[in-house]
Amino acid sequence: MNAWKTVFTSAALSLMLAAGAVAPALAQDEAAANAPAEPIDFGDDASEWAHDGECDDPRFTGPAAAAELLEADRLHDATDCRTAFEQGRLTLIAPGDASEATGDTGSVARIIFGDDSGEWAHDGECDDPDFVGAGMTAKPSPESRLHDASDCRAAFEQGTIALASAGGPALVDFDYGSDTSVYAYDGECDDPRFEGPGTDKKLLADDMLADANDCQSLEARGEVSIRTLYRPDYAAGAPYDSTGIIFGDDSSSYALDGECDDPRFEGPGAAPTLLDSDSEHDATDCRTAYEAGLVMLR
């Protein structure tokens, strides 16, 4: 009995040693398989949004990527992107990927495809007129906008369609705000970010982000639309030449606060409340924001 016990113990020990030798090798093989073919150049931390916990480099996609990605931040958010990549919360967009080819610097998850309530849903073709490409139906119809989600999402992921150059689908990160305006629920859109026959004749800065229900309902019916003078992809073309624009001086009481307070400009770099008295009196802030593509002349 002792002899069998000795043989069994020796065999078990040999198997354990062999497994111990194989496990690290398998782990090394798996790591090697998942490693990029070439080392990734994460760049530097020169981005305005560096060290904010999100990756702002448009070469990456995933849950750790910022909602709005700008070409100006390419290779300039190294620490955030490296950390998220090593945690497995980002992937590098391959050259030629649909997101790169279409100029859409985010992932497919950032696009609102809508629902499948359209007449031509689930027919294998995208009928939404916000897209173009070989995966589209021959005659996209306005009625199918945001109503052929499955077909369009599948085609987009396959790279057979791309966002149209203008008027593309809304982005997930659009904020309709709340209903805190005194004019909320009156059947008119009072948010000055919208335009169209459903908007109130007099739009006040105080009602920005404060009439969500009216504006969203009217937009769904096609009676208002988000003002398109400033488009989210505009900043990707920065820097812009400000030569010829008279910015004035910095005599505004809000000058040098990092926001453009001149009411002649609009965009995400503009202050939420703009006063006529600040026209041509916030030169440094407005010039900086203009050249960065964060505001445009109205």
Side-chain angles (χ1 to χ4, degrees):
M1 186 72 176
N2 289 336
W4 281 107
K5 193 172 186 180
T6 302
V7 170
F8 180 79
T9 303
S10 299
L13 181 60
S14 298
L15 287 171
M16 290 174 65
L17 291 172
V22 170
L26 289 174
Q28 291 173 2
D29 290 343
E30 184 177 356
N34 292 331
E38 297 181 6
I40 297 174
D41 180 8
F42 288 94
D44 54 43
D45 286 315
S47 167
E48 177 184 359
W49 312 108
H51 304 294
D52 66 351
E54 293 183 319
C55 176
D56 294 274
D57 188 327
R59 297 177 302 151
F60 295 89
T61 184
E68 184 175 353
L69 299 172
L70 307 178
E71 188 63 26
D73 292 321
R74 183 181 290 264
L75 287 166
H76 296 311
D77 193 16
T79 299
D80 287 336
C81 298
R82 180 185 290 106
T83 300
F85 184 85
E86 292 173 350
Q87 292 171 346
R89 298 188 297 131
L90 285 179
T91 56
L92 185 67
I93 298 174
D97 183 281
S99 332
E100 291 260 316
T102 62
D104 176 37
T105 54
S107 67
V108 64
R110 294 182 63 226
I111 300 173
I112 295 179
F113 288 94
D115 54 44
D116 287 312
S117 62
E119 180 181 359
W120 310 106
H122 303 295
D123 67 350
E125 294 181 318
C126 177
D127 295 273
D128 189 324
D130 285 332
F131 296 88
V132 293
M136 294 294 298
T137 185
K139 295 181 179 180
S141 63
E143 293 77 17
S144 294
R145 184 177 187 271
L146 294 172
H147 297 310
D148 192 17
S150 295
D151 287 336
C152 297
R153 181 183 290 106
F156 188 91
E157 290 173 345
Q158 294 165 4
T160 59
I161 64 171
L163 290 175
S165 58
L171 298 180
V172 172
D173 56 0
F174 185 82
D175 185 4
Y176 287 91
S178 63
D179 289 303
T180 55
S181 168
V182 295
Y183 303 107
Y185 302 108
D186 67 352
E188 291 183 317
C189 176
D190 295 276
D191 189 326
R193 297 176 301 158
F194 292 82
E195 61 186 357
T199 57
D200 189 80
K201 293 181 180 179
K202 186 176 183 180
L203 300 175
L204 306 175
D206 289 344
D207 293 322
M208 185 178 292
L209 288 164
D211 194 17
N213 186 72
D214 285 335
C215 297
Q216 193 165 7
S217 300
L218 289 162
E219 185 194 16
R221 298 203 298 266
E223 296 179 39
V224 302
S225 60
I226 300 169
R227 296 185 64 194
T228 56
L229 179 59
Y230 183 93
R231 291 181 56 83
D233 57 359
Y234 176 74
Y240 289 95
D241 184 7
S242 62
T243 304
I245 298 176
I246 299 174
F247 289 94
D249 53 44
D250 285 317
S251 61
S252 166
S253 57
Y254 302 104
L256 307 175
D257 65 352
E259 292 182 319
C260 176
D261 294 276
D262 188 327
R264 298 177 301 151
F265 296 88
E266 69 176 9
T273 301
L274 300 173
L275 306 176
D276 289 339
S277 58
D278 289 323
S279 182
E280 296 190 24
H281 296 309
D282 192 16
T284 300
D285 287 336
C286 296
R287 180 183 290 106
T288 300
Y290 181 90
E291 292 175 350
L294 298 178
V295 297
M296 296 175 65
L297 276 171
R298 292 181 184 273

